[in-house]
Amino acid sequence: DTVTFLATDRGHNSQTIAGMVPEGAEGWTGRINEEVAATLEVPGYYGYQCTPHLSLGMVGLVIVQGEGMDANLEAAQEVRHRGRAGNAWDEIWEEVAGMDLSAA
């Protein structure tokens, strides 16, 4: 599938976070104020951020279900983040822990 991050507000982008992309998968780096599309073919957890607003906690997670999707889960959870991003990731991982992802 392809995920498109739309540039609806000025001053934002979407970029994968180092250590939060499955092995063998490609990350993405969107330019400020421009949409970016990412084709996600490798199952796993993809962490992303708005680079200018990372310290404010503007982060997110895309989960691609399929065989081997948990292969990068532990590594992604071990990545440390500064500022409000750390709090945002604590909330995201708590939400993930409560999800039923067995439909993969």
Side-chain angles (χ1 to χ4, degrees), residues 6-27:
L6 302 175
T8 58
D9 292 320
R10 296 196 56 75
H12 300 282
N13 78 328
S14 176
Q15 176 179 337
T16 48
I17 299 170
M20 299 187 80
V21 176
E23 187 175 331
E26 290 188 33

Side-chain angles (χ1 to χ4, degrees), residues 18-84:
M20 299 187 80
V21 176
E23 187 175 331
E26 290 188 33
W28 62 86
T29 300
R31 296 176 146 226
I32 303 294
N33 302 325
E34 293 184 13
E35 72 178 53
V36 61
T39 301
L40 309 176
E41 298 176 352
V42 179
Y45 297 81
Y46 294 76
Y48 64 93
Q49 65 190 23
C50 172
T51 306
H53 300 104
L54 175 61
S55 65
L56 298 175
M58 198 171 286
V59 298
L61 182 69
V62 175
I63 302 171
V64 178
Q65 293 182 308
E67 187 176 333
M69 71 179 248
D70 288 335
N72 79 312
L73 176 59
E74 188 175 318
Q77 290 175 323
E78 290 177 357
V79 174
R80 295 292 159 234
H81 309 274
R82 295 181 181 189
R84 293 183 184 159

